[in-house]
Amino acid sequence: MEEFILSGLIKEAQEGNEQSRQEIIQGNKLFLERVTSKICKRMITWNDDEMSISLIAFNEAIDRYQQSQNDNFFNYAKLVIQSRLTDYFRKESRQQSGVSLDARPIDTKGEYESNPFEIKQSWDHYNEQKMIQERLEEIQLYSSRLEEFGIFFEELEEASPDRADARNNLIEVAYGFVKHPHLVDVLLGTKQLPLKQILDFIHVSRKTIERGRKYLISLIIILISDDLPHLKSSIAFPDLKRRGIK
């Protein structure tokens, strides 16, 4: 089902259009079977109680989904289904062990009780895991770019100057460097820092540039890369405001 069509149907279903709701459900029966079976770790059919729980959870996902706040609908629906089935398994386990004082009730209509807090908790966990994955992918991409310059990611800590003022000087050089596109082109083309040109517009010693070459290149790569947003936002650049660098 096309995403824009699904979005329209979800909006209509949330406004009370039952035909749209049924269209969503009928069009995603295979999705429900696959997700439920994977969570239950066995083949689930529409005659199983677990599928009834999943269907109720899927309806709940339709009602609660907000495109502006959540990822795509199917990822959100999976979280709700998993949360509801987990509650169901816990309840069944308590009943089998004879402990049911805090079991969640099922009302007379058979609708499983919602738990917005647990859905939010599951969604927060999902977003956290997604963020971690994105950061790992960025590091892999960054590492591959560094290797084009003969620099390995594992070297960066050692390559970083020990003194804060030395690091700040190289940060200023990096920011100044990326303001000159022709110098960036030289760096990317030759894989070497155009040392002479740098010294022409930056008042810093040649020795500082040579000693901090790897650190400087690593900073420049981050600054010129639009596809490394997490790395760019997580790096602390101390004293930049005081030094007039934005």
Side-chain angles (χ1 to χ4, degrees):
M1 186 177 290
E2 295 286 345
E3 186 173 347
F4 74 94
I5 296 177
L6 178 61
S7 297
L9 290 173
I10 291 173
K11 184 177 180 180
E12 291 172 2
Q14 290 175 344
E15 292 172 350
N17 189 321
E18 287 304 313
Q19 184 175 346
S20 295
R21 182 182 299 273
Q22 288 305 314
E23 189 171 342
I24 298 170
I25 293 171
Q26 293 300 321
N28 291 288
K29 280 190 170 183
L30 186 60
F31 165 80
L32 279 166
E33 292 172 2
R34 185 170 63 248
V35 170
T36 307
S37 296
K38 185 174 181 180
I39 293 172
C40 296
K41 298 181 180 179
R42 64 183 178 87
M43 186 62 67
I44 299 296
T45 70
W46 286 90
N47 294 322
D48 292 311
D49 291 341
E50 290 86 347
M51 186 60 75
S52 298
I53 300 299
S54 290
L55 182 57
I56 292 169
F58 190 70
N59 268 292
E60 183 180 337
I62 293 173
D63 291 334
R64 293 179 177 275
Y65 178 69
Q66 295 183 31
Q67 191 172 14
S68 61
Q69 297 180 14
N70 305 128
D71 198 353
N72 74 67
F73 171 74
F74 294 107
N75 285 337
Y76 180 70
K78 286 178 187 177
L79 287 171
V80 180
I81 292 169
Q82 184 168 12
S83 178
R84 300 281 68 76
L85 283 172
T86 298
D87 282 349
Y88 171 74
F89 297 149
R90 287 172 181 165
K91 178 178 179 295
E92 289 296 297
S93 177
R94 292 189 191 107
Q95 286 182 342
Q96 290 174 8
S97 63
V99 181
S100 58
L101 293 177
D102 60 343
R104 297 181 183 278
I106 297 178
D107 66 22
T108 55
K109 296 181 180 179
E111 294 182 355
Y112 204 67
E113 182 187 354
S114 301
N115 188 337
F117 174 76
E118 190 165 277
I119 294 174
K120 181 181 184 302
Q121 197 173 43
S122 297
W123 187 248
D124 289 343
H125 176 72
Y126 167 77
N127 283 331
E128 181 182 349
Q129 294 303 310
K130 183 181 177 184
M131 181 76 73
I132 291 172
Q133 182 61 35
E134 288 175 353
R135 289 181 182 274
L136 288 173
E137 290 173 357
E138 276 193 23
I139 289 173
Q140 291 173 347
L141 180 60
Y142 181 47
S143 180
S144 67
R145 288 180 183 165
L146 287 174
E147 290 179 14
E148 295 177 10
F149 294 83
I151 303 171
F152 294 94
F153 186 79
E154 296 78 11
E155 299 179 283
L156 292 185
E157 184 174 355
E158 185 177 344
S160 174
D162 294 330
R163 293 172 52 187
D165 60 341
R167 290 194 300 274
N168 292 342
N169 284 336
L170 290 173
I171 290 169
E172 287 191 22
V173 174
Y175 268 91
F177 186 93
V178 299
K179 292 178 180 178
H180 295 75
H182 67 286
L183 295 184
V184 174
D185 290 341
V186 172
L187 173 65
L188 296 178
T190 65
K191 307 303 182 210
Q192 298 291 329
L193 280 171
L195 188 57
K196 183 178 182 304
Q197 292 95 318
I198 291 175
L199 296 176
D200 286 342
F201 71 86
I202 295 290
H203 299 294
V204 66
S205 71
R206 183 186 186 97
K207 186 177 292 186
T208 297
I209 300 296
E210 291 176 339
R211 286 178 175 174
R213 183 187 71 85
K214 290 182 178 180
Y215 184 71
L216 180 56
I217 291 175
S218 70
L219 289 173
I220 292 171
I221 291 173
I222 291 177
L223 291 175
I224 64 175
S225 299
D226 293 332
D227 52 359
L228 301 175
H230 294 299
L231 281 175
K232 192 174 291 187
S233 65
S234 65
I235 292 178
F237 292 140
D239 293 339
L240 292 185
K241 288 186 178 179
R242 180 174 62 79
R243 292 164 180 261
I245 298 176
K246 298 180 179 180

